[in-house]
Amino acid sequence: MERILIIEDEEKIARFVELELEYEGYQVEKAFEGREGLALAQAHPFDLILLDIMLPGLNGLEVLRRIRQFSTVPVILLTARDTVVDKVTGLDGGADEYITKPFAIEELLARIRAALRKRHGAASPAAILEVGGLRLNPVRRECWVGAQPVELTKREFDLCQFLIENKNRVMSREVLLERIWGYDFAGETNVVDVYIRYLRAKLEEPFGLKLIHTVRGVGYIIKDE
Ligand code: CA
């Protein structure tokens, strides 16, 4: 059973969320104060933490900062404040998600499920990425076109995975370079073109497929025919 910690000083909200989560089958602990929440997070392994920002004593962003010193547990920030500064600070501080009060419980549940899936998603069948007959298993680093396994190098696989994770969206050369090759390659965007050619040679040409499209002057998009 997955364990969720709620750190929220508004007891009505905390109890309401607790009931909903228990109804969904989660095991729930609550803390109404930052330090108490932090102590619980240190004492027990949780699968996910819901963390209010406006807390008495130790505020949520500080609690998050301290949690991140010992844990990578997914954290969803809850807050009444919807300012850009809070969002950026929260996400920079290592929050996985952000939800603004008042929220619909269905939306919160959906985000919790998504965060938990991301956390353990590795083993689930949903982890297979697919576009137009091309399939990747990122956990086993396997690639197929139809029923045919295809060998990809690490960079080719990473590039292909990132494109499929962002399918139907144009990815610029700069973004691809930064995400797949890192900052060391800054400026050398033609390495992206080279690897796109490798992918086309392995995944498209032998199968008569057209999945990766060039967006002139920008970058690439992978999409279903
Ligand atoms: Ca609060």
Side-chain angles (χ1 to χ4, degrees):
M1 190 186 285
E2 285 162 318
R3 292 164 55 92
I4 297 180
L5 173 62
I6 306 171
I7 310 176
E8 161 67 89
D9 61 312
E10 286 164 79
E11 297 192 17
K12 256 171 67 180
I13 294 180
R15 288 189 209 289
F16 167 69
V17 173
E18 177 186 31
L19 283 177
E20 293 288 336
L21 293 180
E22 284 178 349
Y23 183 76
E24 295 293 318
Y26 299 108
Q27 194 183 330
V28 181
E29 295 275 342
K30 294 190 303 299
F32 301 126
E33 195 262 313
R35 275 176 212 287
E36 183 196 350
L38 183 62
L40 278 171
Q42 270 167 325
H44 308 283
F46 286 94
D47 295 292
L48 185 136
I49 297 177
L50 297 178
L51 176 60
D52 186 30
I53 289 187
M54 297 288 277
L55 289 170
L58 211 53
N59 80 48
L61 293 174
E62 183 55 24
V63 172
L64 173 63
R65 199 182 66 78
R66 297 192 192 186
I67 287 173
R68 281 290 170 257
Q69 291 171 357
F70 61 87
S71 172
T72 58
V73 60
V75 172
I76 299 179
L77 290 176
L78 307 175
T79 186
R81 296 192 299 180
D82 187 20
T83 69
V84 173
V85 172
D86 273 355
K87 275 186 193 172
V88 170
T89 314
L91 296 173
D92 279 356
D96 298 82
E97 270 284 3
Y98 196 102
I99 192 163
T100 305
K101 290 189 263 184
F103 48 81
I105 192 69
E106 274 313 320
E107 191 192 348
L108 178 63
L109 292 173
R111 294 210 192 183
I112 288 172
R113 284 192 296 268
L116 289 171
R117 256 202 317 274
K118 218 160 101 188
R119 172 103 162 151
H120 327 282
S124 79
I128 300 286
L129 299 169
E130 191 160 15
V131 61
L134 167 64
R135 281 178 303 140
L136 295 189
N137 181 330
V139 177
R140 302 173 61 159
R141 307 287 290 183
E142 290 170 342
C143 170
W144 304 267
V145 177
Q148 180 73 42
V150 178
E151 289 280 334
L152 297 180
T153 66
K154 181 186 182 302
R155 291 271 202 233
E156 290 166 356
F157 196 97
D158 291 345
L159 177 59
C160 190
Q161 179 177 347
F162 187 73
L163 285 170
I164 300 184
E165 282 171 347
N166 293 284
K167 71 178 171 184
N168 302 318
R169 292 168 62 187
V170 178
M171 292 289 118
S172 72
R173 286 183 178 78
E174 288 73 21
V175 165
L176 294 172
L177 191 69
E178 186 188 314
R179 294 298 295 265
I180 310 303
W181 282 268
Y183 291 99
D184 294 350
F185 281 77
E188 301 177 46
T189 53
N190 61 344
V191 72
V192 176
D193 304 315
V194 170
Y195 273 79
I196 292 286
R197 278 205 297 278
Y198 294 159
L199 286 180
R200 283 176 168 156
K202 287 186 174 181
L203 303 174
E204 297 187 334
E205 284 152 25
F207 304 98
L209 284 176
K210 186 72 195 147
L211 300 170
I212 304 169
H213 301 263
T214 306
V215 182
R216 204 169 286 280
V218 184
Y220 297 95
I221 181 171
I222 199 164
K223 56 185 183 185
D224 294 301
E225 239 356 39

